[in-house]
C-alpha cells in the first residue's frame, strides 16, 4: 500500500507499507495505563519512582503474559511484581524502577498471536539540597523549633516540602521553612519529603536534636497541653493544632490519657465549627484526626462522637469536590476509618452510633471523588480492613461492565442500559463519569442485625458535577458479589440456614432515616440471588466463609445480614437436623409446607426430594407428593434399620433457594416377632447380621 501527501506549493511525500495475509486468526492486544497516569505528547509516559506502575490488558483471550525490561533488556525481578505475569492486571511496586531510567513492558496473548508494548520513563525526584533544625536542644511542648531547607532543584520546577517526625508528615508547603513543637526524645531526627510538580518525591532528614522531657510533673504537663490546645482552637490555627496533636500523640504521658485525647477531639470539633472549610483545612484536620485516633484504643464515647462529627464535616465538604485529596490523604482516611471501626465496635454504649456510621459511609462514598481529575487509583493497606478504588471513564462504558477490586473478592456488575438511568438524564454516552468503590471489611453500626459481611459503597457521578448522582429505580439491577463470614456471628445451625436455607439478606444503609423494624439498614430494592460457600484446595467447604450475590435497583452502601427467608420451609415441616423415630414396617407420613413471600414474576417454587442416604430398603419407597405449590406429604414404609438422612430442596428457575436436611431413625423392635421366631432366624430377611440386629 502506498500513501502520497501533496501540498498546494507542490511538495510531496510518499510512504509505503506491506500487509502480509495469514490463514489463521490474529488477535489484537492493547495495554491500558491504570492508576497514577502521566501521559504527555511532549514528555512521554512518566511514572514517579515513589508510585507503582499499574497496567491492564485488553486481549481477545484470557491467557496473557507480561514482562518488563530496561533499555539494556534487563528484566525487572519477579519479586517486584505483586500480581505476577499471568494476570489481566500488571503492577510494578513503587521504588523498584530506577529514577531517570526507561522501561518497556510487553503484553503477549498466549492463545492468539496478539502483542502490545508500553514504554515509560521514570521521573527523577528533586536532589542536591540539605535541611537544618534550630535550636539543637529544647523542651517538649515548650520550645518552638525551626527547620529550614535550601539547595533543592528539579527540572520540573514547583518544589514542595513536607516536614515531620516519627512517621508523621504535615501538609505539603512551598516554603522551605517550618516552626513547630516537638515531643520528648534524645537524638531525634526530623523527616522531610521533597516533591516536584509531577509528584516525584525523595526523603531527607536533618541533623539530630535533643528534646528534653517536660520540666513539669504529669498534672502540670496535662495542664500545659490543655492551654496550648485551647489557644489553638480559640485563634482558629489549624496548623498549630495539628503540630500540637502530633507532639501530644508522641508523648508517653499524654497519648494514653483519655481526658487529653478527649480535649484534642473537642478542639478539632470546635475549630471546625468556626473555621471556613477549605481544601487545606480538610487535609490538615484529616491528618490530625488520624494522629489523635491512633489505633482507637484510647477513644471514649465522647471522643468518638466528636471525631465522628469532624469526619462527617470533612466528608460532606469532600462531596462538593473541593478537597483535592491526594492518594496519601485518602490513605489516611482509610487508616482513620479502620481505627474508628475498631473503636466503635468495642464501644457499645454510643449515644448516637448513626452519626459515626453516617460519617464513615459518607467518607466512603465521597473521599475519592477529587482524585479523578486526571488519574485513577486503587488503594489498600495489607493491615487495613478497608480498600478503595476510583476510576474515570465514559458513561456508556459502564453499560454491562463488571468492576472488580483487585485485592478483594468484591465485584459490581452494571446493567446493560445503565447509561439511561434517570440520574443521567440528558447526558451523552461519551460524558466522563467517576466511579468509586469503597469496601470496608466491617461496619460500625449493626443495630440488632446479624451482619455477616463488610460494606461496599458504590457511587457514580458525572465528572462535571460535584456530588454523586442520585441513582434509584435503575433500568435493570446491579449485581454485587460480597464476601461473607458467619464465624462468631451465627450459630452452626444458623450458618447452615444462611448458606443453604435462603436466609441471606442484602441490605443498604439508610442511617437514622431507617424504619423502626429495620434500623440503619434496609432491604428495600435489594434481594439475595445466590449464596456460595468458599472451598479450600481440596474442594472442601471452609466453615462460615463464602460470598453472596446481591441484586439491587439503586446505588448505595450495601451489606449482607442474616434474616428470615422469604421462601422457606415452615412448620410442621421437620426442622434442620431433626431426628424422627419410626419402627421398621410402620408407615411414615410427614407433612411438608413452605412459605412463599416472593413475587410470582420471579418464578414458581418447586419442592424436590433430592436424596435419601444411605440407600435404604423399603416395604414402600420414599415418595414426595405436593398437593399444591406450598404443601404436600412425604410418605415411606421403611424396612432397613438405621439412620437415614433425607434432603429436600426448594428450587426456583433451576436455582436452589433453600435446603432442608433431617434424619429418620428406623428401629427394629422385638415385639414384631411372632411365635417361634428369633432375631437369628429373621436377620436374613432384613439383610442384617444377627449381632448388628441385636445391637439395634
Amino acid at each position: 500500500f502506498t500513501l502520497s501527501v501533496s501540498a498546494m506549493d507542490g511538495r510531496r511525500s510518499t510512504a509505503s507499507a506491506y500487509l502480509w495475509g495469514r490463514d489463521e486468526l490474529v488477535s489484537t492486544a492493547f495495554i491500558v495505563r491504570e492508576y497514577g497516569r502521566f501521559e504527555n505528547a511532549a514528555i512521554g509516559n512518566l511514572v514517579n519512582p515513589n508510585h507503582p506502575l499499574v497496567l491492564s490488558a485488553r486481549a481477545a483471550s484470557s491467557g496473557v503474559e507480561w514482562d518488563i525490561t530496561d533499555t539494556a533488556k534487563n528484566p525487572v525481578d519477579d519479586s517486584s511484581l505483586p500480581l505476577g505475569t499471568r494476570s489481566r492486571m500488571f503492577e510494578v511496586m513503587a521504588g523498584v524502577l530506577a529514577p531517570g531510567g526507561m522501561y518497556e513492558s510487553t503484553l503477549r496473548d498466549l492463545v492468539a498471536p496478539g502483542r502490545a508494548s508500553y514504554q515509560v520513563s521514570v521521573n527523577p525526584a528533586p536532589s542536591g539540597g540539605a535541611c537544618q533544625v534550630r535550636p539543637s536542644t529544647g523542651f517538649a511542648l515548650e520550645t518552638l523549633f525551626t527547620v529550614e531547607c535550601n539547595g533543592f532543584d528539579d527540572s520540573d520546577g514547583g518544589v514542595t516540602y513536607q516536614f515531620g517526625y516519627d512517621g508523621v508528615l504535615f501538609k505539603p508547603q512551598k516554603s522551605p521553612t517550618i516552626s513547630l513543637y516537638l515531643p520528648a526524645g534524645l537524638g531525634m531526627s526530623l523527616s522531610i519529603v521533597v516533591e516536584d510538580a509531577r509528584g516525584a518525591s525523595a526523603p531527607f532528614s536533618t541533623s539530630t536534636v535533643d528534646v528534653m522531657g517536660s520540666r513539669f510533673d504529669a498534672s502540670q504537663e496535662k495542664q500545659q497541653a490543655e492551654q496550648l490546645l485551647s489557644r489553638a482552637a480559640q485563634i482558629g490555627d489549624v496548623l498549630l493544632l495539628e503540630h500540637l496533636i502530633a507532639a501530644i500523640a508522641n508523648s508517653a504521658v499524654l497519648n494514653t490519657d483519655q481526658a487529653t485525647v478527649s480535649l484534642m477531639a473537642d478542639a478539632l470539633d470546635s475549630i471546625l465549627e468556626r473555621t471556613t472549610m477549605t481544601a487545606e483545612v480538610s487535609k490538615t484536620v484529616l491528618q490530625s484526626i488520624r494522629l489523635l485516633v491512633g489505633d482507637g484504643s484510647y477513644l471514649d464515647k465522647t471522643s468518638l462522637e466528636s471525631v465522628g462529627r469532624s469526619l462527617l464535616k470533612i466528608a460532606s465538604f469532600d462531596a462538593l469536590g473541593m478537597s483535592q485529596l491526594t492518594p496519601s490523604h485518602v490513605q489516611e482516611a482509610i487508616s482513620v476509618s479502620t481505627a474508628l471501626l475498631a473503636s466503635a465496635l468495642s464501644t457499645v454504649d454510643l449515644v448516637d452510633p448513626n452519626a459515626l456510621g453516617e460519617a464513615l459511609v459518607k467518607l466512603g462514598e465521597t473521599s475519592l471523588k477529587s482524585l479523578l481529575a486526571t488519574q485513577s487509583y486503587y488503594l489498600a493497606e495489607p493491615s487495613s480492613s478497608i480498600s478503595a478504588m476510583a476510576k474515570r471513564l465514559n458513561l456508556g462504558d459502564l453499560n454491562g461492565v463488571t468492576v472488580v477490586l483487585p485485592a478483594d473478592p468484591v465485584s459490581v456488575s452494571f446493567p446493560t442500559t445503565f447509561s439511561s438511568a434517570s440520574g443521567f438524564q440528558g447526558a451523552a454516552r461519551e460524558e466522563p463519569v467517576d466511579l468509586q468503590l469503597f469496601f470496608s471489611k466491617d461496619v460500625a453500626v449493626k443495630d440488632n442485625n446479624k451482619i455477616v459481611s463488610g460494606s461496599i459503597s458504590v457511587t457514580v457521578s458525572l465528572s462535571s458535577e460535584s456530588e454523586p448522582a442520585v441513582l434509584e429505580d435503575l433500568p435493570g439491577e446491579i449485581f454485587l458479589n460480597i464476601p461473607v463470614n458467619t464465624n462468631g456471628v451465627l450459630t452452626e445451625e444458623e450458618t447452615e440456614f444462611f448458606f443453604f436455607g435462603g436466609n441471606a439478606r442484602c441490605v443498604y444503609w439508610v442511617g437514622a432515616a431507617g424504619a423502626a423494624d429495620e434500623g440503619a439498614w434496609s432491604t428495600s430494592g435489594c434481594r439475595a440471588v445466590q449464596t456460595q460457600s468458599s472451598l479450600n484446595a481440596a474442594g472442601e467447604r471452609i466453615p462460615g466463609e463464602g460470598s453472596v450475590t446481591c441484586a439491587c435497583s439503586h446505588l448505595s452502601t450495601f451489606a449482607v445480614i442474616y434474616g428470615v427467608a422469604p421462601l422457606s420451609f415452615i412448620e410442621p415441616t421437620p426442622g434442620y437436623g431433626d431426628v424422627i423415630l419410626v419402627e421398621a414396617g410402620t408407615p411414615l407420613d410427614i407433612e411438608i409446607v413452605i412459605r412463599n413471600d416472593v413475587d410470582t414474576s420471579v418464578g414458581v417454587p418447586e419442592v424436590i426430594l433430592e436424596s435419601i442416604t444411605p440407600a435404604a430398603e423399603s416395604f414402600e419407597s420414599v415418595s414426595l407428593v405436593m398437593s399444591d405449590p406450598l404443601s404436600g406429604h412425604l410418605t415411606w414404609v421403611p424396612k432397613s434399620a438405621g439412620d437415614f438422612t433425607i434432603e429436600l430442596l426448594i428450587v426456583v428457575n433451576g436455582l436452589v433457594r433453600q435446603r432442608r436436611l433431617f434424619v429418620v431413625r428406623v428401629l427394629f423392635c422385638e415385639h414384631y416377632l411372632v411365635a417361634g421366631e428369633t432375631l437369628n432366624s429373621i436377620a436374613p430377611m432384613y439383610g442384617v447380621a444377627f449381632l448388628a440386629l441385636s445391637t439395634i
Side-chain angles (χ1 to χ4, degrees), residues 119 221 256 261 294 409 438 525-526 573 675:
Q119 295 179 332
E221 187 174 352
T256 59
V261 173
F438 195 90
C526 286
T573 307

Side-chain angles (χ1 to χ4, degrees), residues 362-445:
K362 189 78 170 180
L363 184 71
E365 292 181 346
T366 66
S367 63
L368 303 180
K369 169 74 177 176
S370 56
L371 292 177
L372 290 159
T374 58
Q375 304 167 61
S376 298
Y377 285 94
Y378 169 69
L379 297 168
E381 291 181 275
S383 60
S384 172
S385 64
I386 296 178
S387 57
M389 178 180 183
K391 192 174 183 67
R392 174 161 290 177
L393 66 171
N394 291 337
L395 175 58
D397 293 339
L398 281 174
N399 289 337
V401 74
T402 296
V403 182
V404 180
L405 278 177
D408 297 289
V410 178
S411 66
V412 181
S413 298
F414 291 86
T416 55
T417 55
F418 180 77
S419 61
S420 64
S422 58
F424 297 126
Q425 191 170 8
R429 287 169 55 91
E430 296 75 23
E431 183 89 13
V433 295
D434 297 336
L435 165 68
Q436 298 183 93
L437 304 181
F438 195 90
F439 177 59
S440 167
K441 295 181 177 65
D442 210 330
V443 296
V445 180

